[in-house]
Amino acid sequence: MSNVMVITQPQPTMISAHSDHWGSDICDCCDDVPECCFAFWCFSCYTCIQARNYGECLCLPLLDIFCGGMIPPITMSIRTSMRQRYGIQGTMCNDCVLSTFCRPCVWCQMSREMKERDLQIALIRTRNL
């Protein structure tokens, strides 16, 4: 008979008050007028900054310009990735349609979502026993 001691360290848990829906609608650009104006007047700069804030390469959204088709693959993939990361319901078909026909609104919505769901993590040191 062997004596086995199992020690389990406490694991951090994350409780989210967010739902499985977008925090704002696609046309809620007036919720943040300065950001909406920035997206309208300098869309390329705006998308690059938002991609960096999301953790992607700064210039990644510029590839949408050079892709030959009508569907912007980078915008669609970042939107889909964000839905998966935050547990937001939706479909790739919906992401495709919105990314194709409402690209500035999509980027503004993603920016608002990142701001709303920004989780600041604080590590607290406990005293050693």
Side-chain angles (χ1 to χ4, degrees), residues 11-76:
Q11 299 295 318
T13 58
M14 184 165 47
I15 300 171
S16 176
H18 300 287
S19 73
D20 58 351
H21 298 287
W22 289 98
S24 61
D25 288 331
I26 193 76
C27 294
D28 285 345
C29 292
C30 293
D31 289 353
D32 193 348
V33 174
E35 193 153 315
C36 181
C37 289
F38 181 30
F40 179 75
W41 292 108
C42 191
F43 184 66
S44 296
C45 297
Y46 181 77
T47 58
C48 290
I49 290 170
Q50 296 311 316
R52 185 194 61 208
N53 291 344
Y54 187 62
E56 294 295 337
C57 175
L58 175 69
C59 297
L60 186 63
L62 296 178
L63 293 176
D64 276 345
I65 298 168
F66 300 113
C67 291
M70 185 175 167
I71 299 170
I74 304 304
T75 301
M76 182 181 157

Side-chain angles (χ1 to χ4, degrees), residues 75-93:
T75 301
M76 182 181 157
S77 63
I78 290 179
R79 181 178 170 84
T80 302
S81 169
M82 185 173 289
R83 272 193 318 95
Q84 290 177 349
R85 179 182 290 184
Y86 295 141
I88 298 170
Q89 291 182 352
T91 63
M92 286 185 69
C93 182

Side-chain angles (χ1 to χ4, degrees), residues 1-15:
M1 176 174 210
S2 66
N3 292 333
V4 177
M5 180 185 280
V6 177
I7 300 175
T8 305
Q9 295 291 325
Q11 299 295 318
T13 58
M14 184 165 47
I15 300 171

